[in-house]
Amino acid sequence: MLQVGKTYDPLLKRPFCIFKREGNVIQFVYRIRGKGTRLLSNCKKGDIIQAIGPLGNSYPAPKKDFIAVAGGIGIASLFPLLERFKNKAFLFYGARTKNELVMINKAKSLAKKIFTTTDDGSIGQKGLITDVLNDFLENRTMPVYAGGPMPMLQKVSDIVAGRGIECYASLEEHMACGVGACLGCVVKTVSGYKRVCKEGPVFPIEEIVW
Amino acid sequence: MELTVNIGRLKLKNPVMTASGTFGYGEEYSEFVDLNKLGAIVVKGLSITPREGNPAPRIIETPAGMLNAIGLQNIGVKTFIKEKLPFLKKFKIPVIVNFFGDSIEEYVKAAEGLSKADGVDALEMNISCPNKQAGWIVFGTDPKVAFEVVNAVRKATDLTLIVKLSPNVTDIALMAKVAEDAGADAVSLINTITGMAIDIRTRRPKLANITGGLSGPAIKPIAVRMVYEAYRAVNIPIIGMGGIMNSEDAIEFMIAGATAVAVGTANFVNPSVTLDIIKGIESFMGKGGIMDVKNLVGGLRC
Ligand SMILES: Cc1cc2nc3c(=O)[nH]c(=O)nc-3n(C[C@H](O)[C@H](O)[C@H](O)COP(=O)(O)OP(=O)(O)OC[C@H]3O[C@@H](n4cnc5c(N)ncnc54)[C@H](O)[C@@H]3O)c2cc1C
Ligand SMILES: Cc1cc2nc3c(=O)[nH]c(=O)nc-3n(C[C@H](O)[C@H](O)[C@H](O)COP(=O)(O)O)c2cc1C
Ligand code: FES
């Protein structure tokens, strides 16, 4: 969780994935979405912001080749995995438009194979990344790791359902505390509400009640 | 310098505690805060049986505040005593347990269960809950019903009893007086103020529950006013809260009449803010030559 400014509006910290950690340097990749991320983007070198973390869990390590599905900035959750398991991932990366397919070249260099789509066709195939995934999965049973907006994750969930495919999704919910105290960030699962900040953000996708 | 204050039979080493529901069961924040330094810890509201809570989204940020509709999700009195209390008992600070019910009977049962447990030092009863036997009208908004439920709990426990008042009333002084007359040892205020936010593009409410409770700096002026009004109406101590972000806010509440303060939403902004507030109060006292923090309480000059 990162403090985005020293104001009362926005007030709360914002949750981000740790993109990379090397020595005492931590990198984040984020998209400017609203007030908070805009304020964060005004930070200058030398500015001090408060951060707490690392919080919650991460994707379990794949044992062999795997499929990574990213929707827009959801790629941030998958980068550590792509980096650690170079040339093992079939990466399905979709976004609304060309410039929302961030760090596409880096992603290409890490993946075994990459498939891209944009909603407007400005780069890659025009359409939804989940449709491409669906075709690809035909007879395959590789584990699937997915990060992106909820509607995309729900589609992924539908696609893998009943096929005996291991699948993990990194979820997003509004957060306040980030440490499991406020019960604000819950997601409904087959065993009741669970906190995305504490028991998540990564859940086996079949546990999620959509 | 004297920082101690008394709430009923409780002795707090300083007047700063955590607000219920914003500090979990203490454990969640123990990495950030040496709990032994707090005046007291107040845990998430409990009911006699566990509650699942509301669907998501449960929280949404608003200017200088946030709306929450957690729906009082909790693990229930029994599980709390078995799984959470042993951790809290390790600390030398008073543990105040917040609880609620949806009938007088449930309130009484929860109070009895908690009073029997070793390690619970005081009870805070949240009366901002709908009453299932009276058309789901909130206990704390009807003076007669509020008296009845507080009085019933008073008879069920010997522990220090704090009644947490709802701000969603016209006359907070009256409600504070009702709590005092029914046997409360202290009152705490304010709970969240009912609010709402709408996404104008989809025309849908931003919270799944439609309405939620507003907290944070946005509600502070209302909370200060209510503490001031309650202070003039009762003789029992007041625990003030609502938008406290720093020591200056805390001191403002004390001057309005609060003997102690509770910090809620600010914990989300800065997990160790309670310790900063304690230090800030000390330094304010040092600079102003105030020897006893109790001298601040109700020190308003009008
Ligand atoms: C575990 C987790 C990891 C994340 N990692 C990253 C990351 O690495 N990079 C990145 O760019 N973004 C990430 N996000 C999303 C990021 O937290 C939000 O984009 C950010 O909080 C928006 O803040 P804002 O003030 O700019 O937008 P706001 O003005 O608060 O809101 C703008 C819009 O975003 C929605 N929104 C706000 N907060 C969230 C949230 N927590 N989850 C989903 N929607 C939200 C609002 O409903 C609104 O529609 C992550 C979210 C979670 C929960
Ligand atoms: C997420 C959240 C959960 C809360 N849960 C409870 C609760 O279980 N019982 C209760 O009496 N008050 C609860 N409150 C109210 C707070 O204890 C406090 O009265 C209120 O938030 C005002 O203080 P603040 O502005 O410092 O947060 C909750 C508040 C928040 C923000
Ligand atoms: S953000 Fe508070 S419990 Fe997850």
Side-chain angles (χ1 to χ4, degrees):
Chain A
M1 301 277 282
L2 294 183
Q3 177 190 30
V4 289
K6 300 198 170 17
T7 59
Y8 282 175
D9 180 20
L11 179 70
L12 302 168
K13 287 188 160 67
R14 301 292 196 255
F16 296 99
C17 301
I18 295 176
F19 172 66
K20 200 166 184 177
R21 216 170 135 184
E22 258 171 355
N24 55 5
V25 178
I26 300 179
Q27 290 179 28
F28 300 91
V29 175
Y30 66 92
R31 175 161 90 89
I32 298 177
R33 188 132 153 207
K35 274 195 271 205
T37 40
R38 180 161 307 282
L39 202 61
L40 189 63
S41 73
N42 294 337
C43 272
K44 289 183 295 293
K45 193 174 170 181
D47 285 357
I48 294 174
I49 55 166
Q50 209 188 49
I52 57 169
L55 306 162
N57 65 1
S58 45
Y59 293 111
K63 290 184 199 72
K64 42 184 195 301
D65 284 359
F66 63 101
I67 290 170
V69 192
I73 195 67
I75 189 78
S77 75
L78 292 159
F79 256 116
L81 209 58
L82 297 174
E83 193 110 33
R84 231 178 101 199
F85 300 93
K86 270 196 191 107
N87 294 319
K88 296 251 179 261
F90 292 86
L91 175 62
F92 293 79
Y93 187 9
R96 271 189 300 224
T97 177
K98 185 176 169 182
N99 50 22
E100 285 183 18
L101 275 180
V102 295
M103 309 189 74
I104 181 81
N105 288 329
K106 184 155 173 69
K108 257 184 205 154
S109 71
L110 295 172
K112 182 167 182 162
K113 197 162 171 17
I114 185 167
F115 302 83
T116 54
T117 60
T118 46
D119 295 358
D120 61 3
S122 51
I123 191 173
Q125 198 174 321
K126 182 172 170 155
L128 294 177
I129 198 66
T130 41
D131 294 337
V132 182
L133 171 72
N134 194 27
D135 296 342
F136 179 82
L137 266 178
E138 201 56 46
N139 307 306
R140 296 185 171 89
T141 54
M142 267 179 262
V144 175
Y145 295 78
M150 285 301 225
M152 182 201 93
L153 298 178
Q154 188 172 356
K155 282 223 177 77
V156 172
S157 171
D158 292 345
I159 291 170
V160 300
R163 291 202 193 175
I165 296 172
E166 210 186 326
C167 181
Y168 300 93
S170 183
L171 304 189
E172 290 194 4
E173 237 332 310
H174 291 251
M175 293 190 177
C177 71
V179 299
C182 73
L183 309 178
C185 66
V186 298
V187 57
K188 194 163 190 136
T189 73
V190 288
S191 42
Y193 287 115
K194 289 200 174 160
R195 297 166 296 185
V196 172
C197 72
K198 195 85 181 175
E199 284 87 31
V202 175
F203 292 89
I205 210 160
E206 74 272 9
E207 281 188 13
I208 308 301
V209 178
W210 299 98
Chain B
M1 236 182 319
E2 183 63 54
L3 277 174
T4 62
V5 296
N6 297 329
I7 303 287
R9 271 175 291 128
L10 285 189
K11 275 204 181 339
L12 313 191
K13 72 170 130 220
N14 65 62
V16 179
M17 46 205 231
T18 60
S20 175
T22 64
F23 212 69
Y25 301 108
E27 217 167 333
E28 293 86 346
Y29 275 101
S30 56
E31 272 184 71
F32 302 98
V33 179
D34 176 359
L35 301 182
N36 275 325
K37 295 220 162 91
L38 298 174
I41 179 162
V42 184
V43 298
K44 173 73 187 163
L46 293 164
S47 46
I48 189 70
T49 47
R51 288 279 187 98
E52 196 187 25
N54 287 330
R58 290 179 171 183
I59 47 179
I60 190 87
E61 197 181 273
T62 56
M66 61 180 277
L67 287 166
N68 88 78
I70 308 299
L72 295 167
Q73 177 182 342
N74 77 94
I75 55 176
V77 167
K78 248 193 224 139
T79 311
F80 168 76
I81 292 171
K82 212 171 95 207
E83 290 174 13
K84 303 292 176 185
L85 203 50
F87 172 83
L88 289 168
K89 272 199 281 197
K90 292 191 283 196
F91 298 91
K92 294 183 294 264
I93 54 163
V95 173
I96 302 175
V97 177
N98 183 288
F99 73 101
F100 68 94
D102 58 19
S103 63
I104 292 182
E105 198 195 345
E106 268 198 24
Y107 271 101
V108 168
K109 272 195 195 151
E112 282 172 351
L114 289 164
S115 304
K116 275 188 244 145
D118 175 37
V120 176
D121 299 295
L123 299 180
E124 178 180 59
M125 67 183 285
N126 173 6
I127 57 170
S128 303
C129 297
N131 179 356
K132 119 175 128 186
Q133 285 145 336
W136 299 105
I137 293 171
V138 172
F139 283 96
T141 57
D142 178 334
K144 215 172 124 253
V145 182
F147 182 90
E148 251 178 85
V149 69
V150 173
N151 198 240
V153 169
R154 172 73 287 169
K155 288 178 183 143
T157 182
D158 293 326
L159 290 175
T160 291
L161 178 63
I162 303 160
V163 174
K164 183 155 176 182
L165 302 177
S166 165
N168 303 310
V169 297
T170 340
D171 189 353
I172 195 76
L174 171 67
M175 297 312 295
K177 187 84 184 79
V178 163
E180 180 177 39
D181 291 344
D185 297 307
V187 285
S188 55
L189 62 152
I190 61 174
N191 211 319
T192 54
I193 301 171
T194 307
M196 184 170 169
I198 301 168
D199 182 328
I200 58 167
R201 283 175 308 104
T202 60
R203 302 194 182 190
R204 286 179 191 281
K206 288 187 176 179
L207 291 171
N209 189 55
I210 303 177
T211 62
L214 184 63
S215 65
I219 69 171
K220 195 189 78 173
I222 300 174
V224 171
R225 184 264 295 177
M226 288 190 160
V227 167
Y228 157 76
E229 288 176 351
Y231 181 71
R232 300 200 301 177
V234 297
N235 294 311
I236 49 178
I238 295 170
I239 301 163
M241 71 193 87
I244 295 176
M245 298 299 287
N246 52 44
S247 57
E248 292 180 8
D249 295 339
I251 292 162
E252 189 177 348
F253 273 87
M254 297 189 78
I255 292 171
T259 296
V261 294
V263 181
T265 302
N267 294 303
F268 306 153
V269 178
N270 171 8
S272 55
V273 68
T274 40
L275 305 183
D276 296 347
I277 292 175
I278 296 165
K279 274 192 226 126
I281 293 175
E282 273 180 298
S283 102
F284 179 84
M285 288 169 64
K287 280 189 206 129
I290 301 160
M291 295 313 291
D292 189 337
V293 76
K294 290 186 272 296
N295 292 341
L296 286 171
V297 179
L300 181 73
R301 297 178 185 141
C302 282

